[in-house]
């Protein structure tokens, strides 16, 4: 297997740059280059290590590989690319990391376990749970795949994304006397963003903070930020801002870090009747999204049949050329040259029509570097989930825009950084965070949330958002059961549970805690009533920060006969996997249980913010208090839950007629006893 990597570079200039605490935008970007280079080198070495030392079975388990796979049909797609269908035949329940645009390589494994990689790199065009469509570099690659042997496919090192980010940083550093240079100095320097004076637009269907945010987007000349805490309607606000901007501009660019986030906002825009052109394949595969993709629009264009016929003729003549005489080959070459010229004309015509008819061009940040967008400029760029995007990725798209709108929440999940040194150096400090800190006038905070019971909302509001969040009246007291506490902490410190280390990627596991969680889930389901859950479609989320715990919970959930009728209503995933989602009931397994008070990446409180705020009506946390409460965040959270629990039970008790035992003693609810509450008459 061949590797195509950038040459090694030493980081001799990194330390002085870090120690100077630079204010200059140029130095800031140079620092980003160095940090990104560190991440690149780390990920490259990690990939080489996995490829060379990690067995196929471990890679399959980690979602990096499909083995074995079966080949389906091969064909030329609408863009004249040779593609082939791939289906995995085993381990279909394991989540994988294959998605549009990611490079892959193929291999054979012998009976002795020896792996032989094929000498070409392919690209994922489409992927779901068990099927993938892969773009091949040519017919030679297809012939190699069709040889005998058990076939597998694994992710390859993503050189393209890094190349695009390095290029964007270099362009931004070198920018001079143009709009990119101005935006660079405004976003990273001391220059204040400019605003136009416009008469405020009223939006009766939005709350006051959402309305303010939309008007600030319309007024800004340079940059505006929509800071949307969980459940505050960030997407609704952003869609409204895009819709209103399109009344003033012919076309905008909408980007996000992930395909899922791009799809979500595209769906909302399509629902509003906005013509969207989606660059890249959607992960949310439905008719609504597929009809907006560049590929589907391309093949539905009136000129497409002629273009397809030309490509077919060129392929047929290419296969016949080897058998003809010299004069016949020369004639075919001339004809093929004329056909290619005509094909180029048709492609230019089709692309012009597609882009002219679209009001919104949507893609991931990396895909905004696509050849289709070369030379195109946009008055406004919207970046959703900007707090999860590397700064370098944002600059890929910013190069094409005159002003920038960032939307997200920097108090939730940060970008995924694999190199600890790069993370500590500030690579996870996003462009959105920098602008929020340095340009508070550009920030609009959404304050009314429409997801959670007020009690569930209150703690993250106090800790992360200075107590500024408020629950909308329609969700303030929403619940499933009468006299139920919206939040519970089940303390496992007296249960002799223990954590086990599984591996670097999978982290920790606590099987006893997982089993207890499932017991509590079954108990709560029985309290609600099985028929009611099925009738009302009450859904549940089981969350853990650790992959090993998640996989164990998934296995136990699938093997439970009690939970079988509710399987479609139960989602088990990591915190990262639950970003942007919500459920009626959330159970969280914190896993960590040790005498040293070590909690690992539970120290990243942004993850806990995400986990807590997924629940609409009921939140149950399982964790070892003696381990976790050594951290002030978890100590305060546990005290908050206990106080709210006492208040709720006191309210319930006072509304209930007191019951006495035969001996004349006051009978207390079970939860009162567990909390050690004493009531005297």
């Amino acid at each position: 297997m061949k590797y195509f990597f950038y040459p090694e570079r030493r980081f001799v200039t990194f330390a002085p740059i870090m120690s100077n605490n630079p204010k200059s935008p140029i130095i800031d970007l140079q620092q980003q280059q160095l940090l990104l280079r560190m991440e690149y080198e780390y990920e490259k070495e990690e990939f080489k290590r996995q490829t060379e030392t990690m067995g196929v079975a471990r890679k399959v388990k980690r979602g990096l590989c499909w083995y074995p796979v079966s080949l389906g049909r091969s064909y030329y797609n609408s863009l004249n690319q040779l593609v082939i269908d791939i289906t995995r035949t085993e381990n279909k329940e394991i989540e994988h990391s294959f998605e549009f645009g990611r490079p892959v390589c193929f291999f054979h494994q012998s009976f002795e376990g020896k792996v032989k990689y094929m000498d070409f790199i392919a690209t994922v065009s489409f992927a779901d749970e068990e099927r993938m469509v892969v773009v091949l570099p040519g017919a030679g690659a297809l012939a190699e795949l069709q040889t005998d042997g058990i076939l597998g496919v694994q992710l390859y090192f993503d050189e393209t994304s890094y190349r695009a980010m390095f290029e964007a940083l270099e362009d931004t550093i070198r920018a001079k006397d143009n709009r990119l240079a101005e935006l660079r100095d405004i976003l990273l320097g001391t220059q204040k963003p400019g605003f136009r004076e416009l008469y405020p637009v009223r939006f009766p269907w939005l709350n006051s903070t959402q309305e303010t945010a939309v008007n600030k987007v319309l007024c800004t000349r340079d940059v505006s930020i929509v800071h949307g805490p969980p459940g505050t309607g960030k997407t609704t606000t952003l869609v409204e801002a895009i819709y209103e901007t399109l009344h003033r501009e012919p076309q905008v660019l909408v980007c996000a870090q992930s395909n899922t986030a791009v799809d979500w906002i595209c769906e909302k825009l399509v629902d509003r009747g906005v013509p969207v052109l989606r660059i890249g394949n959607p992960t949310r595969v439905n008719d609504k999204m597929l009809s907006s993709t560049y590929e589907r629009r391309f093949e539905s264009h009136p000129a497409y049949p002629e273009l397809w016929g030309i490509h077919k003729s060129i392929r047929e003549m290419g296969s016949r050329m080897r058998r003809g005489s010299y004069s016949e080959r020369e004639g075919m070459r001339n004809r093929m040259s004329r056909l290619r010229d005509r094909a180029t004309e048709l492609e230019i015509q089709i692309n012009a029509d597609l882009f002219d008819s679209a009001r919104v061009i949507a893609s991931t940040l990396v895909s905004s570097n696509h050849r289709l967008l070369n030379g195109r400029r946009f008055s406004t760029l919207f970046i959703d989930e900007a707090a999860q995007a590397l700064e370098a990725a944002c600059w890929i798209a910013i190069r094409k825009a005159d002003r920038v709108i960032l939307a997200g929440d920097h108090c939730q999940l940060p970008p995924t950084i694999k190199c600890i040194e790069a993370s500590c150096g500030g690579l996870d400090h996003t462009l959105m965070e920098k602008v929020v800190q340095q340009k508070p006038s550009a920030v609009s905070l959404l304050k009314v949330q429409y997801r959670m019971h007020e009690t569930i909302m209150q703690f993250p509001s106090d800790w992360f958002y200075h107590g500024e969040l408020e629950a909308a009246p329609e969700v303030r007291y929403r619940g499933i059961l009468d006299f139920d506490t919206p939040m519970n902490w089940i303390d496992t410190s007296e249960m002799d549970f223990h954590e086990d280390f599984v591996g670097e990627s999978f982290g920790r596991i606590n099987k006893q805690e997982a089993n207890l969680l499932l017991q509590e889930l079954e108990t709560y389901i029985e309290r609600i009533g099985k028929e009611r859950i099925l009738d009302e479609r009450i859904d549940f989320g089981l969350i853990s920060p650790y992959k090993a715990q998640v996989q164990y919970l998934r296995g136990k959930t699938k093997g439970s006969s009690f939970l079988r009728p509710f399987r479609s209503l139960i989602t088990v995933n990591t915190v990262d996997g639950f970003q942007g989602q919500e459920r009626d009931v959330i159970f969280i397994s914190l896993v960590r249980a040790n005498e040293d008070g070590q909690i690992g990446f539970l120290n990243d409180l942004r993850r806990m913010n995400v986990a807590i705020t997924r629940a609409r009506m009921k939140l149950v946390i399982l964790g070892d208090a003696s381990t976790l409460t050594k951290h002030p965040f978890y100590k305060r959270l546990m005290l908050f839950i206990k106080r709210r629990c006492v208040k709720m039970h006191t309210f319930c008790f006072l509304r209930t007629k007191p019951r006495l035992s035969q001996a004349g003693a006051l009978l207390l609810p079970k939860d009162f006893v567990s909390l050690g509450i004493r009531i005297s008459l």
Side-chain angles (χ1 to χ4, degrees):
M1 184 180 182
K2 294 181 179 178
Y3 298 96
F4 305 96
F5 299 126
Y6 292 118
E8 298 286 343
R9 301 194 183 180
R10 299 182 183 273
F11 306 108
V12 293
T13 59
F14 178 72
I17 288 177
M18 287 299 295
S19 62
N20 287 340
N21 191 21
K23 297 292 183 182
S24 165
I26 301 293
I27 297 177
D28 196 339
L29 289 165
Q30 288 172 339
Q31 179 180 320
Q32 284 292 311
Q33 279 183 314
L34 290 170
L35 293 170
L36 188 64
R37 180 67 58 180
M38 292 175 70
E39 175 73 3
Y40 168 83
E41 299 290 353
Y42 179 89
E43 194 171 350
K44 175 188 71 176
E45 291 301 321
E46 184 69 11
F47 171 79
K48 289 176 68 175
R49 186 185 66 80
Q50 289 178 354
T51 301
E52 295 169 0
T53 63
M54 189 184 294
V56 171
R58 286 180 66 192
K59 284 187 278 192
V60 169
K61 193 174 180 182
R62 296 189 178 190
L64 307 173
C65 174
W66 284 5
Y67 181 83
V69 298
S70 63
L71 299 178
R73 71 185 184 107
S74 59
Y75 56 95
Y76 284 88
N77 65 12
S78 60
L79 303 180
N80 199 37
Q81 297 168 320
L82 179 60
V83 300
I84 189 166
D85 279 344
I86 308 289
T87 305
R88 61 170 166 176
T89 55
E90 297 178 8
N91 303 300
K92 298 180 182 180
E93 74 285 351
I94 297 176
E95 282 197 22
H96 63 81
S97 302
F98 295 92
E99 60 180 7
F100 171 81
R102 298 203 66 176
V104 295
C105 56
F106 291 87
F107 63 88
H108 288 298
Q109 185 177 21
S110 66
F111 291 108
E112 295 80 24
K114 190 174 180 179
V115 175
K116 182 182 178 183
Y117 289 97
M118 297 182 183
D119 198 20
F120 66 88
I121 306 301
T123 307
V124 178
S125 176
F126 166 82
D128 60 15
E129 286 78 10
E130 56 187 63
R131 174 177 166 268
M132 209 173 2
V133 179
V134 176
V135 179
L136 300 176
L142 178 61
E144 195 172 351
L145 285 177
Q146 293 171 337
T147 55
D148 293 335
I150 303 174
L151 192 66
V153 59
Q154 75 169 58
L155 286 171
Y156 193 71
F157 183 70
D158 191 359
E159 194 85 29
T160 306
S161 298
Y162 279 105
R163 190 181 296 117
M165 287 190 285
F166 282 124
E167 183 185 287
L169 287 174
E170 193 64 34
D171 287 348
T172 309
I173 290 170
R174 292 180 178 179
K176 189 176 181 180
D177 300 328
N178 58 14
R179 185 55 178 159
L180 179 59
E182 291 175 358
L183 285 174
R184 176 195 66 204
D185 296 340
I186 292 170
L187 293 172
L188 299 177
T190 56
Q191 190 174 334
K192 294 182 178 180
F195 292 90
R196 295 170 291 197
E197 290 189 9
L198 297 176
Y199 191 79
V201 184
R202 295 297 311 277
F203 303 96
W205 51 93
L206 302 180
N207 64 52
S208 59
T209 58
Q210 292 172 332
E211 186 178 280
T212 300
V214 175
N215 277 289
K216 186 167 285 189
V217 168
L218 298 177
C219 290
T220 188
R221 295 181 185 274
D222 307 303
V223 61
S224 181
I225 287 183
V226 180
H227 182 189
T232 54
K234 170 181 65 66
T235 302
T236 300
T237 307
L238 194 60
V239 167
E240 196 65 52
I242 294 169
Y243 193 77
E244 282 300 313
T245 301
L246 290 173
H247 289 166
R248 298 158 174 79
E249 299 172 14
Q251 194 175 70
V252 299
L253 178 62
V254 176
C255 295
Q257 175 66 17
S258 67
N259 278 295
T260 304
V262 177
D263 294 343
W264 181 248
I265 198 163
C266 283
E267 280 194 31
K268 301 297 181 183
L269 289 166
V270 171
D271 288 340
R272 293 288 294 269
V274 177
V276 175
L277 185 62
R278 173 75 160 90
I279 308 298
N281 274 4
T283 53
R284 302 166 68 89
V285 183
N286 54 43
D287 290 339
K288 186 189 300 182
M289 288 306 304
L290 283 174
S291 62
S292 298
T293 60
Y294 172 81
E295 288 81 358
R296 186 64 61 89
R297 298 276 298 280
F298 190 92
E299 63 188 20
S300 62
H301 192 276
Y304 175 72
E306 182 185 353
L307 179 62
W308 175 254
I310 291 172
H311 285 312
K312 186 179 180 182
S313 298
I314 292 173
R315 288 195 299 271
E316 290 173 349
M317 282 189 282
S319 63
R320 293 200 307 266
M321 274 185 67
R322 292 187 292 270
R323 300 189 298 269
S325 63
Y326 177 79
S327 59
E328 288 173 335
R329 291 199 300 270
E330 282 299 306
M332 280 191 283
R333 283 195 189 96
N334 292 332
R335 192 180 172 202
M336 287 169 68
S337 179
R338 290 193 298 272
L339 287 173
R340 288 194 183 100
D341 291 342
R342 177 57 181 163
T344 302
E345 290 176 9
L346 289 172
E347 287 178 11
I348 293 171
Q349 177 193 334
I350 294 173
N351 285 335
D353 291 345
L354 295 185
F355 279 91
D356 290 346
S357 62
R359 302 296 308 279
V360 170
I361 309 300
S363 74
T364 62
L365 289 165
V366 172
S367 293
S368 68
N369 199 49
H370 198 285
R371 60 175 181 81
L372 292 168
L373 297 176
N374 287 347
R376 297 188 177 274
R377 286 203 64 80
F378 302 87
S379 299
T380 306
L381 163 67
F382 292 87
I383 302 179
D384 194 16
E385 300 296 353
Q388 286 184 267
L390 290 173
E391 180 180 335
C394 291
W395 288 111
I396 298 173
I398 293 173
R399 292 179 300 173
K400 301 179 182 296
D402 293 328
R403 65 187 194 123
V404 185
I405 312 300
L406 304 171
D409 182 12
H410 52 282
C411 300
Q412 296 188 63
L413 290 179
T416 302
I417 310 295
K418 296 180 180 178
C419 177
I420 297 173
E421 290 82 3
S423 180
C424 294
L427 188 62
D428 63 349
H429 195 52
T430 64
L431 182 63
M432 178 174 171
E433 285 182 88
K434 292 178 180 179
V435 179
V436 168
Q437 292 171 3
Q438 300 172 15
K439 311 286 188 293
S441 62
V443 181
S444 300
L445 176 65
L446 308 182
K447 298 181 180 181
V448 182
Q449 67 86 21
Y450 300 86
R451 175 186 299 166
M452 296 164 275
H453 187 288
E454 188 176 44
T455 299
I456 301 172
M457 176 209 74
Q458 196 60 57
F459 182 82
S461 174
D462 292 342
W463 188 276
F464 295 102
Y465 307 106
H466 310 289
E468 293 192 68
L469 300 190
E470 59 181 90
E474 58 266 34
V475 304
R476 186 169 293 157
Y477 303 116
R478 68 190 310 183
I480 299 174
L481 297 169
D482 292 338
F483 307 130
D484 191 18
T485 51
M487 300 175 73
N488 293 109
W489 182 306
I490 299 174
D491 184 9
T492 63
S493 56
E494 303 297 324
M495 301 180 185
D496 198 29
F497 291 175
H498 63 274
E499 62 180 77
D500 294 309
F501 180 72
V502 178
E504 292 179 11
S505 298
F506 281 69
R508 312 270 168 172
I509 191 171
N510 190 327
K511 293 183 180 181
Q512 301 103 317
E513 187 175 283
N515 293 332
L516 178 61
L517 184 151
L518 294 172
Q519 291 175 22
E520 294 292 329
L521 173 63
E522 291 180 8
T523 302
Y524 198 67
I525 287 173
E526 287 181 331
R527 283 183 63 192
I528 300 171
K530 297 180 180 180
E531 291 185 3
R532 183 187 167 196
I533 289 173
L534 295 172
D535 290 344
E536 299 180 16
R537 307 297 295 173
I538 298 172
D539 50 11
F540 301 81
L542 313 185
I543 302 177
S544 179
Y546 297 98
K547 290 181 181 178
Q549 189 81 340
V550 168
Q551 287 200 0
Y552 182 79
L553 283 167
R554 280 179 181 159
K556 297 290 287 188
T557 303
K558 288 179 180 179
S560 169
S561 56
F562 179 90
L563 297 175
R564 188 175 293 118
F566 316 106
R567 207 169 282 170
S568 63
L569 300 170
I570 300 174
T571 306
V572 188
N573 215 330
T574 59
V575 179
D576 297 56
F578 261 100
Q579 173 78 2
Q581 300 188 48
E582 57 187 76
R583 296 292 186 273
D584 294 322
V585 183
I586 290 289
F587 283 79
I588 303 174
S589 172
L590 296 178
V591 175
R592 302 308 297 261
N594 56 75
E595 295 179 357
D596 302 324
Q598 298 293 322
I599 62 173
F601 73 9
L602 290 185
N603 280 301
D604 187 348
L605 304 181
R606 292 171 293 186
R607 277 190 162 77
M608 280 307 298
N609 185 28
V610 174
I612 292 171
T613 56
R614 299 310 94 190
R616 299 190 191 103
M617 293 178 276
K618 178 75 174 181
L619 174 65
V620 182
I621 300 173
L622 292 88
D624 186 319
S626 62
T627 300
L628 293 158
T629 55
K630 291 176 181 173
H631 191 290
F633 174 87
Y634 296 96
K635 183 178 181 179
R636 186 169 164 184
L637 174 60
M638 190 171 187
L639 288 172
F640 174 86
I641 293 173
K642 282 191 172 184
R643 287 173 187 150
R644 289 293 175 130
C645 195
V646 168
K647 287 180 181 178
M648 186 69 189
H649 279 297
T650 304
F651 174 75
C652 299
F653 181 78
L654 293 174
R655 291 194 54 178
T656 307
K657 185 177 179 181
R659 293 187 298 129
L660 302 176
S661 68
Q662 293 181 348
L666 181 66
L667 295 175
L668 299 176
K670 180 182 177 182
D671 291 330
F672 271 67
V673 179
S674 65
L675 290 170
I677 300 171
R678 297 178 180 174
I679 298 179
S680 57
L681 297 177

